[in-house]
Amino acid sequence: MNPALALDRDSIVAPLHRFAHMAMNCDWEIFIAGEDAEYARQAAFAAWDEVDRIEEQISRFMPGSDVMRLNAAQPGDEIRIGPTALDCLLLANEISEQTQGAFDVMVGRAMDRIRAGENSGPEFLPNAPLLEMDAARGIARVLGEGVAIDFGALGKGYAVDRVLAVLREWSIENALAHSGSSSCAALGTPPGCDGWPVGLRDPRDASNEATLGRVSLCNAALSGSGFQTQGHHIIDPRNGTLIKGRIGSWALCRSAARSDGVSTALMVMAPDEIDHFFAQNAEDSGLVLLGSARKPQVVGSGFLAEVKLDFDAFTPPEPAPDEPPEISLLADPIVRPFVGHRATLVWPNGAKQSGVLIAASADWLHLQSDDGATILVPREAIAWIDANPKA
């Protein structure tokens, strides 16, 4: 999980009780302020039981889980699912619609390709809705082949929300919970503070020590996405390819499940799509770092856009001497007109690869090579492009 967030415990003067847990392949923590230690422990362990129950229901790797049963179902099957899987599916559909497909949990096949070190693409994604939900009956009807649900971060965020729900049932008033430091949700505030002090870790720093800024969190959820821990693992669910040109993102929302989904979508959407999303969803807030590590560009909306960022706390290392210089290919008028036409990519060592330039962005080139392979090439690895639209 990406360590996008960090609680500034030194800023909290009230008695603070910490409880750790391992679930969903990451480290979890609950912090409870101003309560009796033994009572806080009992409440935290009740919350951990809830996290384990949720994992058993929505993990795609646990035999008998609702998600595993859905992924194994055949067209026409009607699968009865529990409220946890139903809630996650309904929220995932809502975020997918609001982000115009930039978030989708039906990416299991594509994710398996990436985890295996293989290329992914549109052929590993569904081209039509595969599930029809009957929320009143708790039924999911399978419409076609290829159901491959991977709730990923949204599932962890949902469990964080349920942790706070359990703590409320125990009459805990001030607490913070996080899943792998990628998503956290705050209940109340520590005594003497105006909120839970949460730092936005600099996603360019592999040591996870530098902090870009700080947010005071109260009765809200904050999530972050990036690449430092898992590498480039976020897929654009609209084409099945790994996304490039993003450094990190954060989303502040009413729930951790939603903030997890939104922060992931922010890593995928173009700047104009981000603006459109927040114009339609003003109660959410977001922050995205685009471009290169040495020259990050900031796109923000709402509360997070007002956070003062300190980029001087960490300086990315200089590129290795043998690496090609950074070239903004799309700034050159040669490139954009040749998308959809034949092109030859030229590497710094003189090697060449010819084919059809399918797509190009600020950080990658998508080439359908002459030998039939689909190649996703980092922009910075190319020295030049020879293209001829008449070829």
Side-chain angles (χ1 to χ4, degrees), residues 369-386:
S369 67
D370 290 340
D371 59 7
T374 300
I375 303 174
L376 187 66
V377 184
R379 170 186 57 77
E380 61 267 23
I382 303 301
W384 190 247
I385 297 178
D386 290 327

Side-chain angles (χ1 to χ4, degrees), residues 51 65 88 132 162 172 210 225 240 283 285 292 338-340 355 357 374:
V51 171
S65 74
C88 289
E132 183 178 68
R162 289 299 306 153
I172 300 295
S225 296
E283 64 180 6
S285 175
S292 67
F338 294 97
V339 172
L357 189 62
T374 300

Side-chain angles (χ1 to χ4, degrees), residues 25-188:
N25 199 34
C26 67
D27 296 317
W28 293 59
E29 288 182 307
I30 293 174
F31 296 93
I32 298 176
E35 295 284 348
D36 173 76
E38 177 58 21
Y39 187 78
R41 185 190 69 81
Q42 293 179 34
F45 276 71
W48 295 146
D49 288 342
E50 177 73 352
V51 171
D52 293 339
R53 182 191 66 80
I54 291 171
E55 182 174 16
E56 291 173 357
Q57 293 187 0
I58 64 173
S59 169
R60 63 183 291 239
F61 303 109
M62 283 194 172
S65 74
D66 285 348
V67 169
M68 179 168 279
R69 292 190 300 114
L70 283 170
N71 288 350
Q74 299 300 312
D77 288 350
E78 290 190 349
I79 307 298
R80 185 173 296 278
I81 59 177
T84 296
L86 178 61
D87 287 347
C88 289
L89 283 170
L90 293 176
L91 177 60
N93 288 340
E94 176 184 292
I95 298 175
S96 180
E97 292 178 0
Q98 293 172 346
T99 61
Q100 301 178 14
F103 178 81
D104 197 325
V105 297
M106 203 69 72
V107 294
R109 293 176 64 209
M111 287 302 303
D112 287 343
R113 298 276 301 181
I114 299 301
R115 292 185 179 111
E118 301 173 339
N119 291 329
S120 180
E123 65 272 26
F124 299 103
L125 298 173
N127 55 18
L130 297 182
L131 292 178
E132 183 178 68
M133 307 303 301
D134 184 341
R137 297 170 56 209
I139 295 290
R141 185 171 185 271
V142 180
L143 303 178
E145 295 182 354
V147 175
I149 300 167
D150 188 328
F151 281 127
L154 184 143
K156 295 181 177 69
Y158 180 87
V160 169
D161 293 329
R162 289 299 306 153
V163 164
L164 292 197
V166 171
L167 296 181
R168 289 191 189 96
E169 293 172 359
W170 281 71
S171 300
I172 300 295
E173 296 182 352
N174 304 304
L176 180 138
H178 77 79
S179 57
S181 297
S182 66
S183 287
C184 68
L187 177 62

